[in-house]
Amino acid sequence: MTTHPVDQVPPVRQLAAFGLQHVLAMYAGAVAVPLIVGGAMKLPPADLAYLITADLLVCGIATLIQCVGVWRFGIRLPIVQGCTFAAVSPMVLIGTTGGGLPAIYGAVIVAGLAMMLLAPVFGRLLRFFPPLVTGTVILIIGLSLLPTAGTWAAGGSGAKDFGDPKNLGLAALVLVLVLGVQRFAPPALSRVAVLVGIVAGTAVAIPTGFTDFSAVGDANWVGISTPFHFGAPEFHAAAIVSMLIVALVTITETTGDFIAVGEMTDRPVDRRALGDGLRADGFSTVLGGVFNTFPYTAFAQNVGLVGMTKVRSRWVVAVSGGILILLGLLPKLGAVVAAIPSPVLGGAGLVMFGTVAASGLRTLAKVDFEGNSNLTVVAVSVAIGILPVGVPTLYEHFPNWFQTVMDSGISAGCLTAIALNLLFNHLPQKAGSTPSLPVEPVLLPGGRVEDVVQKAGEERV
């Protein structure tokens, strides 16, 4: 029996290179949440450093659980876990006005337990994600990430030299290197094109003054996170309610990422796998509340890396989890990775995030748009999903719960796509209209089997 590519174990040298590539792709996003929340709460530098190392440690553990799987926990696909940005605003509000870090962690623990309980329920909703919906959601994921790559390319949020031509020039150099390696290098090297681009870009950045590694010398060699370092968790009703809303948003986003990876790896996600993945998400969130960090979700930037490199082994990402654990236990290593300048990550991010959007288009190419309203479903869903990305303050006068849901372009677009698909394709048809027929995926001429996008639900409603 042939082993599925997802379950194959590459040679050790490739495992290390591919795994490091995933870590570099997600590191900036991983440390951003503790930096933002801790900064808003005006925590001292020592506490900020503690939040970051705790975050990296739990990122690694959560990634291992998701990839390797333990009983009914883990989707067993190449999924990297990291702190969700959907929780940033509510956590800042709780931390600054509603009880500090203990109140945040109490709400996070309750939200994680709720996610574990809801996992089987969401598993049964997979039939509401036909290719029309999944393709639209994957497209929105990619498009909503592109501004992040642009911010990195310009120098990073808050940089004094934001938008300086030298920053964009370095990002462009990395982009050209990634594309050149992918196009002209041998297959073994082309699969680590992002890693080559990041390493080469950092090598150029050091002598040209973009970054320095002086902080590495100041970092500790060993740092161990202990449970409830900032005090016993406190359970405030308002904080818990806001974090439960975040949990629903996180589940929606993670479902889209799971389905995207399932399609990219030619292992479509079924009801049981989705439930197992979401259950692991909830457990990791509980773990985050215990070990002084935050709610966890699948990282979409690594979804793009899977699609770009065509490396589908979950064991590659499991190695990424091991590296993240080391970074969490050895702050000096984390300081080395943190010294990579934002423009370098921006150049690589443009390729990865664009790949996610292109994968969504590939899925939509299998959908029938003739004689039905499917084009309207895609158009309106993408518009609703991109609005908060282009206009971040769009919903600032709405209630907090509404902002939590709609400020995430991914959750807003996903909910819109599901609702419009039900409205146009599953409610009784208008008199004289012709119901649209499902279109099964086909192998395009000259395509490879692994590039075929499989039907993303167990059945169509």
Side-chain angles (χ1 to χ4, degrees):
M1 182 177 177
T2 304
T3 304
H4 193 283
V6 168
D7 299 318
Q8 290 176 355
V9 182
V12 174
R13 184 180 303 175
Q14 293 182 12
L15 275 173
F18 295 152
L20 179 59
Q21 187 170 235
H22 272 282
V23 171
L24 296 180
M26 61 80 70
Y27 187 88
V31 302
V33 172
L35 280 174
I36 294 170
V37 175
M41 295 178 64
K42 295 180 170 50
L43 297 179
D47 286 348
L48 274 178
Y50 193 95
L51 286 179
I52 291 172
T53 54
D55 174 33
L56 293 173
L57 175 65
V58 179
C59 274
I61 296 171
T63 299
L64 278 174
I65 294 172
Q66 203 66 270
C67 296
V68 177
V70 179
W71 187 54
R72 296 299 301 276
F73 292 82
I75 196 169
R76 294 167 174 83
L77 285 174
I79 294 287
V80 174
Q81 296 283 108
C83 287
T84 174
F85 283 85
V88 168
S89 295
M91 289 193 301
V92 167
L93 189 64
I94 296 168
T96 54
T97 64
L101 286 173
I104 290 176
Y105 294 139
V108 168
I109 290 171
V110 173
L113 292 172
M115 291 169 69
M116 293 170 65
L117 292 174
L118 288 173
V121 177
F122 266 76
R124 296 188 184 96
L125 300 179
L126 193 61
R127 62 183 184 275
F128 295 108
F129 289 84
L132 174 64
V133 173
T134 58
T136 303
V137 172
I138 297 169
L139 176 60
I140 293 170
I141 291 172
L143 293 178
S144 63
L145 285 171
L146 283 173
T148 300
T151 300
W152 289 345
S157 181
K160 294 180 180 178
D161 60 348
F162 187 87
D164 192 300
K166 69 176 185 179
N167 291 336
L168 297 174
L170 180 58
L173 173 64
V174 173
L175 175 60
V176 171
L177 285 171
V178 171
L179 295 175
V181 171
Q182 191 174 15
R183 173 62 181 86
F184 298 108
L189 189 60
S190 68
R191 291 182 176 179
V192 289
V194 170
L195 177 60
V196 172
I198 290 175
V199 171
T202 303
V204 171
I206 295 173
T208 52
F210 279 92
T211 188
D212 65 78
F213 288 84
S214 59
V216 177
D218 300 330
N220 295 325
W221 277 105
V222 179
I224 298 179
S225 301
T226 55
F228 307 125
H229 173 79
F230 295 99
E234 299 176 5
F235 302 94
H236 299 178
I240 290 172
V241 170
S242 65
M243 207 55 64
L244 287 174
I245 296 172
V246 169
L248 292 175
V249 174
T250 301
I251 287 175
T252 305
E253 291 184 342
T254 302
T255 298
D257 291 330
F258 285 166
I259 293 173
V261 173
E263 293 177 347
M264 290 176 178
T265 57
D266 196 26
R267 177 176 276 181
V269 175
D270 59 20
R271 185 168 71 184
R272 172 170 175 153
L274 178 59
D276 291 350
L278 294 176
R279 192 176 292 109
D281 239 24
F283 177 76
S284 300
T285 297
V286 172
L287 208 60
V290 173
F291 282 92
N292 320 291
T293 181
F294 308 115
Y296 283 83
T297 186
F299 258 28
Q301 48 263 58
N302 296 87
V303 174
L305 191 56
V306 170
M308 175 187 164
T309 62
K310 300 294 191 295
V311 176
R312 298 182 283 174
S313 172
R314 60 191 172 105
W315 299 105
V316 163
V317 179
V319 169
S320 303
I323 295 173
L324 287 167
I325 291 174
L326 283 177
L327 293 176
L329 295 175
L330 304 173
K332 198 172 285 290
L333 286 180
V336 172
V337 179
I340 297 173
S342 291
V344 171
L345 297 173
L350 288 171
V351 184
M352 294 186 298
F353 303 162
T355 300
V356 178
S359 298
L361 292 175
R362 185 177 61 180
T363 302
L364 290 173
K366 312 301 184 293
V367 176
D368 179 20
F369 288 99
E370 298 296 327
N372 54 46
S373 299
N374 287 344
L375 195 62
T376 300
V377 174
V378 176
V380 176
S381 301
V382 171
I384 297 297
I386 298 303
L387 272 178
V389 178
V391 190
T393 58
L394 184 66
Y395 302 117
E396 64 179 3
H397 297 298
F398 284 76
N400 288 332
W401 66 267
F402 186 89
Q403 292 184 49
T404 300
V405 176
M406 298 302 291
D407 274 348
S408 166
I410 297 172
S411 65
C414 183
L415 293 173
T416 303
I418 293 171
L420 293 181
N421 179 57
L422 290 173
L423 174 66
F424 285 107
N425 293 327
H426 300 294
L427 292 181
Q429 297 289 324
K430 294 182 295 184
S433 65
T434 304
S436 58
L437 297 175
V439 177
E440 297 296 331
V442 295
L443 182 62
L444 298 177
R448 297 181 301 171
V449 173
E450 61 262 36
D451 292 331
V452 179
V453 179
Q454 299 292 333
K455 186 176 180 181
E458 294 178 307
E459 60 184 29
R460 299 178 68 99
V461 177

